[in-house]
Amino acid sequence: MDALDRLAEPGLDLLARVDTLLAAGAPEGHRLWPLLRRMQVLPGAAVREFLDLHPAPLADAGHAVRRLIRGYDDACAMLADPVAWSGPAASAYDEARTALLRHLDEGPESLVGRLESTAGYADALADWVEGSRLALARALADVLRSAEAVTVHSATAAAGDGRVGALAAAEIGTRVLSVLGVAYDGAETLLRQWAPSLAETAWRERATGVRIANSTMRIG
C-alpha cells in the first residue's frame, strides 16, 4: 500500500462532493474549464480510474519478458555451432543460419532487441505510474487539509453558500486535474519515445545465390 492508497478513502469522499458541486456547473471563466474540456472527466471519476494503476504488474511484466530472452540465447548458441560438412548445401545452410541468427539477435531490430525494448518500456511505465501516484497523493493531501475542502463539505451538507461551494470545488478540481494532466502528458511522451523500438520486426534476409535444391552435399 502506497501513499495514494492510504489517502484514497478520504480523498474519494471529498472528490465525490466536488463532483456533485461541479455537475451543477463550475464558475464561468474558471481555469478548471480548459482541464475539463481536455480530460473529459470530473476530478473524482478521474482519480477513481487512476487508483487502478499500480507499478508492480508492469515491473513484473518487464521481468517476465527478460526471462524469455534466455530461450533465444539458447537457440542462438545452437545455431552458432559449426557444421561438420561442406559443399554447396553447407554454404546454403550457412547463409540461412546466418540470416536467422541476425533476425534473432543482432541489433535493436532483432527479436531479442525488440524483447529488450518491450521490457524497457514496461520498466519506464512502472516508473511513470509510481511517480504519478506519488504526485497525485501529494495533491490529495494538500486539498484534504485546505480551506476549500471545509467549504465543499459545508456546501454539500446544505449548510453553506452553493456559489462559494462551487468555487471551492473548482479550485480543488483544478489542482487534481492539473496533476493528472501532467501524468497523462508523461505517458504520451513515453509512448512517442518508445514507439520506434516497439515496432514489429521484419525478416532481414541476406541475399544468397546458392539453392539447396540444386546442390549436392559432401560429408566430412
Side-chain angles (χ1 to χ4, degrees):
M1 177 178 288
D2 61 7
L4 185 58
D5 288 325
R6 290 190 289 271
L7 290 170
E9 184 175 352
L12 288 177
D13 177 73
L14 172 62
L15 292 176
R17 298 170 186 271
V18 167
D19 286 0
T20 297
L21 291 169
L22 293 180
E28 184 178 354
H30 195 277
R31 58 201 178 106
L32 174 66
W33 281 108
L35 290 168
L36 287 175
R37 284 191 288 267
R38 180 196 173 194
M39 305 292 285
Q40 296 291 303
V41 65
L42 290 171
V47 170
R48 281 195 299 274
E49 293 177 5
F50 199 86
L51 280 169
D52 292 332
L53 288 176
H54 293 275
L58 291 163
D60 291 343
H63 295 322
V65 169
R66 287 190 175 90
R67 285 195 295 270
L68 294 175
I69 296 176
R70 300 171 189 166
Y72 285 85
D73 289 340
D74 293 341
C76 290
M78 293 178 62
L79 287 169
D81 288 339
V83 296
W85 44 288
S86 60
S91 298
Y93 169 79
D94 189 61
E95 290 279 355
R97 178 175 63 90
T98 301
L100 182 55
L101 279 169
R102 180 170 180 254
H103 183 64
L104 289 176
D105 190 8
E106 186 178 308
E109 295 182 6
S110 67
L111 294 180
V112 169
R114 288 293 191 253
L115 284 174
E116 290 173 342
S117 294
T118 301
Y121 182 52
D123 291 344
L125 284 176
D127 290 342
W128 167 76
V129 171
E130 184 175 5
S132 298
R133 286 178 65 89
L134 179 59
L136 183 56
R138 287 171 175 164
L140 284 180
D142 288 341
V143 299
L144 281 168
R145 58 174 176 254
S146 67
E148 289 84 1
V150 176
T151 302
V152 165
H153 275 280
S154 297
T156 53
D161 189 322
R163 288 172 299 178
V164 175
L167 179 59
E171 289 295 322
I172 291 174
T174 298
R175 296 185 202 177
V176 171
L177 288 184
S178 293
V179 171
L180 289 175
V182 170
Y184 291 139
D185 285 342
E188 292 176 355
T189 298
L190 282 178
L191 182 58
R192 286 194 300 270
Q193 289 176 342
W194 284 91
S197 301
L198 301 174
E200 182 178 356
T201 189
W203 175 258
R204 297 172 295 163
E205 187 174 7
R206 288 176 175 170
T208 176
V210 182
R211 288 180 170 274
I212 295 180
N214 296 329
S215 65
T216 58
M217 181 173 63
R218 184 172 66 253
I219 305 297

